[in-house]
Amino acid sequence: MIRPFTPRVERQFIGKYRPKVDGKEKASGKALYADDLSLKSRFPGLLYAKVYRSPLPHARIRSLDLSAARAYPGVVDILSYADPDVAALKRTNAGWTDGVDTVSYRKMMWGTFRDRLVLGDTAHWVGDEVGAAVVAESEFAAEEALRLIKVDWEVYPFVLDPYEAMKPGAPVIHPEITRDNIFPPDPFGGEEVFVDKGDVEAALAASEVTIECRSVYHNATQGSLDNWCCVVDWKPEELTVWSNSYAVDQTRMHVSQMLDLPLHRVRAISSYVGGQFGRGDTGDQPFFLFTALLSKRTGRPVKFRHTRRESFHDSRQPAVYTARVGAKRDGGIVAMHFTSVGNAGAYADHTMFALKYAPKEITEVALAHVPNVRFETRGVYTNKLPACMMRGVGNSQFNIIFGQVVDLLAERLGMDPVELAIRNFGHEWESLPDPSLARVLKEGAERIGWAEKRHKPGAGPLLAGTRRRGVGFSFHPAWHAEWQETRRGKVQVSITLNPDCTVLLNAPSVETGNGSNTCNVLGCAEALRFLGVGFEDIRWGSTVDTAIGLKDCVQTDSAVSYLQSEVMAVAAVELKEKLLEIVAPALGAAASELDIAGGEAFVKAEPSRRASVRELLLQGDLAPILVLKSRAPLATRTGVPFFANFAEVEVDEETGKVEALKLVVLNDCGTVMYASGAEAQQIGGQVIGLGETLTEEIVYDRATGVPLNFNWIDYRIPTMADMPEVEPVLLEVWKGAGEYGACGIGEGTVTCTPRAILNAVYNAIGARVDEIPATPEKILSALAAKASAARAAAAGATATAGAAGAAATAARAGAAGSEVAP
């Protein structure tokens, strides 16, 4: 039974269960998404763009014959790589920023890897946007024209596996970046060894217990149902782009810098986004640019939209991880050494964020009390689709090895892994045991029935003749707290108080379905509770438009749920000060002698002298009161809380099928801003976590390099029928800086699910599967290996016993002989 959340501090609006602020708008179909904003009825003369996609994994265009395509009825123009306005575009990438901040071309996050050309002449994966873009009166005409383009290809060898790509003589994918496909040093992570604390080798050599293990994370895709879409209208005075980018200021910056337009001549607009799950973090997409050039050429608005197949555009960054860990016999971990090899696919984008940036943060917020730690990694180009951002980036990948280490080491030491984790892990500003981690793990153990259900691996009762059950867990440090968001720079919010005490809230942030807009309205209501303002008295704008002028706060790191509310708390203080100055004459007292509560201003020394703020404002000049605040996130280092997933599974040893029976998802939030939304994030995140663990995987034809399952039938996302019981648990143990001291949870809810399930599988059947997805084939293979090892051990034991028996017989015979010897 799900127990409702109980807040640490009771507040009027924050931390409550209630419908979303936009619930009626969405349920009634009135919420406007990119497809709604880009209807032809809104844009007279609208044209449709389509881009040519490579059928080959690695090849260069020698020449294009566009004559038949140009002649197709309805085709208006074709843009090609040889056109001067295309050839003049700078080299770029799709990872200028991870969405946290807005950056220029010169300051792009991964400037080392400018590996993309807009409509370039070289294809690096099957599906790469190369050569030409067609614009026509209809999508059908544009698609048919693409089929008529004749390409003379120079075909190159290709490589799909990162280990093969690193071998001498392997096809070189981006010679302008690297000659061996291994990424060069980057400005954020530096060299391959990017964390090196203490003396790992000496500590491992001196350890009383050591383990080594390996885990593999595959390439899943985001599965966003709201495909990339934009409309660009380039008029002489202004270029306007409507899109479902959730980083509106960054879209404007990208278009401005790539097309050499001043910012005041570029306008970007976004409304609702139907889920993006990290897809929008690679928002600096070439299609914005060729769509803009086509609009400029034709003098008409142009729409570009991915098809469902084309939405398989990038994926989670897959990697192979290994670990060596040393500990004392009492369970104290003394050394941890992690290595990874990441398959970047065709373009770098945010690969190194996953491989370096996220694990580097984990060192100080989880591994601070381990004296010797080393991380090293290699990012490698291959000819697969680009591996980039997805919800839980880097953290999900690392957790699959981290959670394995804890489970395996605990088994080797004969300890409960819950106790091993509590003993060793926490952030550097907290002594051990970390209160947040201890509460999260003990609560999770109680909720899943850890003490009753956990047993020796593979030793549980056999159910229905072939099935066994097991439990497992994994945990992780949360992200992000406010101090980890300082890269954003100033967060901007404006509050306009009307004379009737209704409120216009401008907290620009594109709503992606996670409820952060509701958090903002709740935060505004909480900050203005002295006015008696209710939730329904606040109007929040669903459209983010750079023409308004405030910088948007992008929905990444799950931080919008509290960052803008922290600024509202500061803005409310200033608003109150302005109000006191306005009402002071009416009450015949100085502003410093007054206060406001419950919508009434009163003299503090004589509370009976009071008046309604609303009535006083309506009797005045009727000018709205505007407060605009810009505030940088607080840099006070408070560490972070922890979260965990506990899983119970049932494994059929005859078929290899794994069924998740229950998932308990626990998050220490610092402060829960919106209980309904937070629990929805916890539950919804398990669709991604479960899918990646058991069914989701992009499959390639290794002979041709062609991806085989870019569709929602063969790429198997869990349905409601596949989902187990999910119990969300919200906690408030840790507290960060600021009024609320909250921490994001949305990204982390997916992170621990794969390893929790894999550890539960091991507990059930006594055979480890450490590569996802854990398909029936892998389960059966692990069981076969376990049986083979058991037979070999039994044979060895028999042989040893036989040898020992023979030796004993010989010894007895020798002894008897010595007794009768002369």
Side-chain angles (χ1 to χ4, degrees), residues 3 37 70 93 111 137 277 310 368 387 476 487 525 539 601 718:
R3 307 171 205 172
L37 291 171
R70 289 189 186 280
N93 63 41
E137 298 288 353
F277 312 118
E310 290 165 349
H476 207 78
R487 272 196 302 129
R539 182 177 177 184

Side-chain angles (χ1 to χ4, degrees), residues 329-662:
R329 293 196 185 279
D330 65 3
I333 296 176
V334 297
M336 305 186 86
H337 180 199
F338 297 99
T339 68
S340 60
V341 173
N343 188 340
Y347 297 104
D349 297 337
H350 286 298
T351 287
M352 297 318 288
F353 187 104
L355 293 177
K356 288 184 179 178
Y357 196 92
K360 197 170 187 177
E361 280 193 340
I362 293 166
T363 304
E364 64 180 357
V365 296
L367 310 184
H369 300 280
V370 179
N372 305 282
V373 180
R374 181 188 297 155
F375 281 85
E376 54 187 296
T377 190
R378 284 184 171 184
V380 185
Y381 283 117
T382 68
N383 295 112
K384 286 188 172 182
L385 88 165
C388 202
M389 282 288 196
M390 186 170 165
R391 184 178 180 182
V393 58
N395 292 272
S396 290
Q397 291 98 313
F398 177 68
N399 189 263
I400 200 171
I401 188 73
F402 182 51
Q404 181 186 10
V405 160
V406 172
D407 197 61
L408 182 60
L409 181 60
E411 182 182 27
R412 194 69 54 84
L413 291 166
M415 289 182 66
D416 186 326
V418 169
E419 297 305 320
L420 179 69
I422 292 172
R423 169 165 185 156
N424 287 284
F425 300 110
H427 61 78
E428 66 178 81
W429 303 279
E430 184 75 72
S431 59
L432 296 179
D434 186 288
S436 174
L437 180 60
R439 174 70 188 284
V440 164
L441 293 185
K442 289 179 180 179
E443 186 77 20
E446 187 266 323
R447 301 275 185 128
I448 200 72
W450 185 256
E452 300 81 19
K453 296 177 180 178
R454 183 171 174 264
H455 47 70
K456 184 178 178 182
L462 200 61
L463 306 173
T466 61
R467 300 175 185 175
R468 295 187 189 274
R469 292 184 178 181
V471 290
F473 80 95
S474 193
F475 70 97
H476 207 78
W479 76 97
H480 265 160
E482 189 168 356
W483 63 272
Q484 295 170 304
E485 293 293 313
T486 54
R487 272 196 302 129
R488 285 182 187 265
K490 288 185 170 59
V491 177
Q492 296 187 318
V493 167
S494 74
I495 297 174
T496 302
L497 181 69
N498 292 316
D500 64 353
C501 284
T502 58
V503 176
L504 302 177
L505 172 63
N506 186 6
S509 183
V510 176
E511 168 59 16
T512 63
N514 53 12
S516 288
N517 56 344
T518 303
C519 293
N520 281 336
V521 175
L522 292 170
C524 184
E526 191 71 39
L528 300 181
R529 65 189 183 281
F530 64 91
L531 282 173
V533 170
F535 187 80
E536 294 76 13
D537 297 321
I538 300 169
R539 182 177 177 184
W540 172 85
S542 60
T543 298
V544 180
D545 184 344
T546 57
I548 293 173
L550 292 188
K551 180 184 175 186
D552 66 335
C553 193
V554 182
Q555 298 260 20
T556 190
D557 296 339
S558 314
V560 174
S561 60
Y562 64 88
L563 277 180
Q564 289 173 310
S565 290
E566 292 284 2
V567 182
M568 290 174 212
V570 178
V573 173
E574 182 176 327
L575 178 62
K576 189 175 187 179
E577 291 171 354
K578 288 188 174 186
L579 281 170
L580 291 173
E581 292 289 345
I582 292 170
V583 303
L587 290 171
S592 60
E593 298 173 330
L594 303 177
D595 200 357
I596 302 174
E600 292 189 323
F602 59 92
V603 180
K604 288 183 283 187
E606 192 179 344
S608 61
R609 287 172 57 192
R610 61 178 55 230
S612 162
V613 173
R614 181 176 184 274
E615 294 304 319
L616 292 175
L617 291 178
L618 288 171
Q619 294 169 21
D621 61 8
L622 301 184
I625 303 170
L626 172 65
V627 175
L628 190 157
K629 272 295 177 187
S630 295
R631 172 188 175 274
L634 297 177
T636 307
R637 295 196 163 217
T638 57
V640 296
F642 282 82
F643 60 90
N645 286 27
F646 283 72
E648 182 179 12
V649 304
E650 185 172 279
V651 184
D652 191 319
E653 294 184 325
E654 186 173 73
T655 66
K657 184 182 179 191
V658 177
E659 181 182 358
L661 301 176
K662 183 176 182 179

Side-chain angles (χ1 to χ4, degrees), residues 220-243:
T221 195
Q222 299 93 347
S224 173
L225 297 181
D226 190 10
N227 298 342
W228 267 120
C229 178
C230 73
V231 171
V232 181
D233 191 6
W234 191 340
K235 289 182 165 55
E237 69 278 6
E238 184 178 67
L239 182 157
T240 304
V241 52
W242 294 262
S243 79

Side-chain angles (χ1 to χ4, degrees), residues 114-126:
R114 290 177 179 146
D115 50 15
R116 288 182 184 263
L117 287 173
V118 180
L119 295 182
D121 65 348
T122 303
H124 299 97
W125 65 286
V126 174

